[in-house]
Amino acid sequence: MEATAIENHTFAKALMLIFTVTFFAGTFHIVRLFVAHREALAKWEPDRAILSKQFGLLQRRALYYLIWPSLIAVFLLGCWLVAQRPGVLKLPFMQVGLGIVAMLAAYHLTVQRIYGRLKRGELRWSALQLQLWAQGATILLVAVILVALMRDRLTWVWGSLGLVVVGGLVMMAIASVRKRGLADDDATTGDPRA
């Protein structure tokens, strides 16, 4: 009987990993679709209407057929795993992990709101702001991986510090890319200030 419980626990962990990967893949994909959709809104008709309709369809499929089902599966499997071993909630890595899960849920709810506003034509974010927002999923994925790998040595202080450091590095990389992008735009437009 004990062997079956261990196999079920291992199988649930494997499924949770699979659904976590599909959740992040879908999240990376949909935010890139948001960027492309936002850029398409700057085009002339009929291109704008055609592209907006197509991007809306792709976003809806990603959100409701991939991201939400994966997130729900991760949540249910996580609850089941914790119910099997409730003592794990007292461990520092789990407390850091639950904090990351809360940030991930907030990130996803914002993605849902962006989708709704973009669908209604009310989104005021620029393509650059959406690109910056896309980096949030990268930061959260790195945090999830680090917590999983360093779970035996992790305290909430080191976890929080690590998240701040990773976030700072990503923001420095974004700033560097943005400066290069602006320099490239100036070079192509012939701006004398370049």
Side-chain angles (χ1 to χ4, degrees), residues 178-191 194:
R178 183 173 180 218
K179 284 181 185 176
R180 272 188 290 173
L182 291 175
D184 290 344
D185 288 345
D186 291 342
T188 58
T189 60
D191 190 343

Side-chain angles (χ1 to χ4, degrees), residues 117-159:
R117 288 184 178 172
L118 195 55
K119 185 177 174 182
R120 292 187 305 271
E122 299 171 357
L123 185 67
R124 295 177 190 231
W125 290 21
S126 68
L128 178 62
Q129 288 171 315
L130 289 169
Q131 288 172 349
L132 293 175
W133 181 252
Q135 301 312 312
T138 304
I139 293 169
L140 291 170
L141 177 60
V142 169
V144 167
I145 291 169
L146 289 176
V147 167
L149 292 176
M150 300 180 65
R151 66 187 237 172
D152 295 332
R153 297 180 299 257
L154 191 65
T155 65
W156 73 269
V157 173
W158 285 110

Side-chain angles (χ1 to χ4, degrees), residues 87-99:
V88 76
L89 288 173
K90 296 178 183 175
L91 299 174
F93 87 89
M94 183 58 80
Q95 294 168 4
V96 172
L98 290 175

Side-chain angles (χ1 to χ4, degrees), residues 25-155:
T27 300
F28 292 144
H29 177 64
I30 197 167
V31 179
R32 298 301 186 267
L33 286 173
F34 290 161
V35 172
H37 191 162
R38 186 69 174 115
E39 290 172 347
L41 293 176
K43 298 198 178 295
W44 296 94
E45 291 294 346
D47 295 344
R48 178 180 23 213
I50 293 168
L51 290 172
S52 289
K53 183 179 178 183
Q54 188 61 32
F55 283 127
L57 178 65
L58 293 171
Q59 291 160 4
R60 184 173 54 82
R61 287 178 182 166
L63 194 60
Y64 296 116
Y65 299 151
L66 179 64
I67 300 170
W68 271 112
S70 296
L71 184 61
I72 291 168
V74 167
F75 178 75
L76 292 175
L77 287 165
C79 288
W80 185 81
L81 287 169
V82 168
Q84 299 301 308
R85 297 184 183 167
V88 76
L89 288 173
K90 296 178 183 175
L91 299 174
F93 87 89
M94 183 58 80
Q95 294 168 4
V96 172
L98 290 175
I100 293 170
V101 167
M103 288 188 292
L104 194 58
Y107 184 89
H108 180 65
L109 291 174
T110 303
V111 165
Q112 179 72 42
R113 189 172 37 192
I114 291 170
Y115 168 72
R117 288 184 178 172
L118 195 55
K119 185 177 174 182
R120 292 187 305 271
E122 299 171 357
L123 185 67
R124 295 177 190 231
W125 290 21
S126 68
L128 178 62
Q129 288 171 315
L130 289 169
Q131 288 172 349
L132 293 175
W133 181 252
Q135 301 312 312
T138 304
I139 293 169
L140 291 170
L141 177 60
V142 169
V144 167
I145 291 169
L146 289 176
V147 167
L149 292 176
M150 300 180 65
R151 66 187 237 172
D152 295 332
R153 297 180 299 257
L154 191 65
T155 65

